[in-house]
Amino acid sequence: MARQQRALERVLADGRRTAPWNAALVGALALATVVNLVTVALAGTGVWLLVVGTWPERVLGAAEIVIALVLRPRFGRMPRHTLDAAAAPVLHAVTKRIAAELGTKPMDAIAVDARYGSGCTVVGPRRRRVLVIGLPLWETLTADQRLALLGHDLGRASTRGGPSGAWIQTALDALATWADMISPTTELEAARQGVADANAFRPDSLRQNTNISLGHALAQPLQNLLAHGMLALHRLLGRLDDLSGRQSQYRADEMSVRVSSTASADGLLRALLLDETARFAVERAARSGGDVWARVRASLASVPDTERERLLRLARLRGDSTDGSSPPTYFRIQFVNRIPGPRTAVPPSGEEAQAIDEELRPLRTAIADELRSRAG
């Protein structure tokens, strides 16, 4: 927590001059480059061996190409409940207006899901930017807090998205795949034991079982060592990525204040402290029937101020954060209240707000039905 406090003070001292690049991000990109170049080298040498090699070398080249295909980047899929510009013109217009004010790219699509949170993702070979809004959070926010939410997520996408984020994620996926391929599996162990059992009644079974045991004793430590090495690199790269993301989170919070107000950003962050309470409220609302979202709103609105203050103090003691790459929410609340910003928000007009609700209505119904089916 002391380190987090010092990091907060450094960001406050730098102000808007805070650079998007830092030592953790440079380290993460360097390590990711080494990992991804291994995949590129496998594919390149595999193709070369297939073209100019002998038959044994071609077999090796084919194996290298297969491994490189397994390690290839995963582009992800478009979320299930997605609204493009034709289905939600007003919501897209508001987000484009915010993106223009922040000087960042607008979203290609907007999706909703059943989580108490929000975020941005990049999917498909065309790297389409998708804003994903959690309906339980959206439904419980005021109009100005929704504006702060959109400003934060668009700012987060501008600081954490792009080629660098995809490059690091590709390396993380490759390291996890390497560990899965190298580590001994329960199926392999069962197959080895089955071979030993099948040889038990053969005349030369003692020598064959001894060979199997010796080979297993020699191979398993090496496999474990390599697998643990890959997992250690995965943890290191993930740690560097998380450290680089903390500074970008503060920059996104600054953008949230810029497009809304200090009070709106503060209210949004305090609402995120109700994550556990919101999950229970959603479960109860889904089991009880009726209007799920009205019940969720009523449940969270009934949380007393004393409970909210208790959660804030608990977050200060434990350093709770919304995810592993974010600073503690308590420090983020301090940050938005210590930077200059407007005191009042200018949310979308009443007509725009009603139009957005109408655009989200079909997905609100679909997700409510999904929640009821899970609860049942």
Side-chain angles (χ1 to χ4, degrees):
M1 294 296 289
R3 287 194 297 270
Q4 291 282 358
Q5 181 71 49
R6 290 193 294 270
L8 170 62
E9 297 300 333
R10 285 196 299 269
V11 173
L12 288 170
D14 292 337
R16 293 191 180 185
R17 296 180 290 104
T18 302
W21 291 84
N22 51 64
L25 178 58
V26 172
L29 287 173
L31 180 55
T33 299
V34 173
V35 173
N36 290 330
L37 285 180
V38 172
T39 304
V40 174
L42 278 173
T45 56
V47 172
W48 181 75
L49 289 174
L50 279 178
V51 173
V52 303
T54 62
W55 279 110
E57 291 173 339
R58 290 177 181 176
V59 172
L60 177 61
E64 290 185 357
I65 292 176
V66 170
I67 295 175
L69 288 174
V70 174
L71 298 174
R72 72 187 186 281
R74 266 57 173 185
F75 296 115
R77 296 180 178 179
M78 189 68 69
R80 179 180 179 184
H81 301 293
T82 303
L83 293 166
D84 56 17
V90 178
L91 181 56
H92 275 268
V94 171
T95 57
K96 286 181 179 179
R97 192 163 65 229
I98 295 173
E101 185 173 346
L102 295 176
T104 185
K105 295 180 180 179
M107 295 290 107
D108 296 306
I110 300 175
V112 296
D113 60 16
R115 60 176 167 164
Y116 188 77
S118 64
C120 292
T121 185
V122 182
V123 300
R126 296 169 56 189
R127 312 312 293 154
R128 301 185 65 194
R129 293 154 53 93
V130 183
L131 170 64
V132 185
I133 300 172
L135 272 183
L137 175 61
W138 179 267
E139 289 291 322
T140 56
L141 296 178
T142 61
D144 56 329
Q145 290 170 354
R146 291 176 179 179
L147 191 66
L149 175 69
L150 295 175
H152 173 271
D153 287 337
L154 289 171
R156 183 72 164 163
S158 68
T159 58
R160 291 282 287 171
S164 61
W167 188 250
I168 293 173
Q169 187 58 52
T170 298
L172 286 170
D173 294 340
L175 288 171
T177 304
W178 273 117
D180 289 338
M181 289 191 298
I182 294 172
S183 61
T185 63
T186 55
E187 291 80 4
L188 182 61
E189 181 65 22
R192 185 194 71 83
Q193 187 60 43
V195 171
D197 293 342
N199 291 334
F201 299 101
R202 296 181 58 176
D204 55 348
S205 61
L206 179 60
R207 185 177 65 184
Q208 290 196 13
N209 288 341
T210 301
N211 292 339
I212 292 174
S213 299
L214 179 60
H216 182 263
L218 293 174
Q220 188 171 22
L222 179 60
Q223 286 179 290
N224 287 331
L225 178 63
L226 292 174
H228 281 90
M230 295 299 170
L231 292 176
L233 288 175
H234 188 282
R235 285 192 293 269
L236 174 60
L237 180 56
R239 179 65 173 169
L240 291 172
D241 189 35
D242 290 344
L243 289 174
S244 68
R246 290 174 183 174
Q247 181 171 301
S248 65
Q249 185 71 273
Y250 282 127
R251 296 181 68 237
D253 288 332
E254 185 269 332
M255 294 181 182
S256 175
V257 173
R258 196 195 312 173
V259 301
S260 59
S261 68
T262 298
S264 302
D266 177 88
L268 169 64
L269 293 172
R270 290 175 184 269
L272 294 177
L273 295 175
L274 299 174
D275 176 66
E276 186 175 352
T277 305
R279 288 202 302 269
F280 286 120
V282 170
E283 292 176 3
R284 288 196 301 268
R287 287 195 298 266
S288 61
D291 189 338
V292 171
W293 307 117
R295 290 180 180 273
V296 170
R297 288 193 296 268
S299 179
L300 292 188
S302 67
V303 177
D305 292 339
T306 53
E307 172 63 10
R308 296 175 185 269
E309 180 64 25
R310 186 190 72 85
L311 292 174
L312 179 62
R313 295 184 181 185
L314 191 61
R316 178 184 181 181
L317 292 174
R318 299 190 308 193
D320 294 340
S321 62
T322 54
D323 56 66
S325 63
S326 298
T329 305
Y330 174 79
F331 288 133
R332 293 174 61 192
I333 293 174
Q334 282 192 318
F335 174 77
V336 299
N337 283 282
R338 292 173 63 181
I339 61 174
R343 293 297 171 184
T344 58
V346 184
S349 64
E351 293 78 8
E352 286 181 322
Q354 292 179 0
I356 291 173
D357 287 340
E358 287 299 320
E359 291 170 353
L360 292 176
R361 186 183 299 278
L363 298 187
R364 291 170 61 205
T365 302
I367 292 180
D369 292 339
E370 290 178 4
L371 291 172
R372 292 190 190 96
S373 63
R374 293 178 195 171

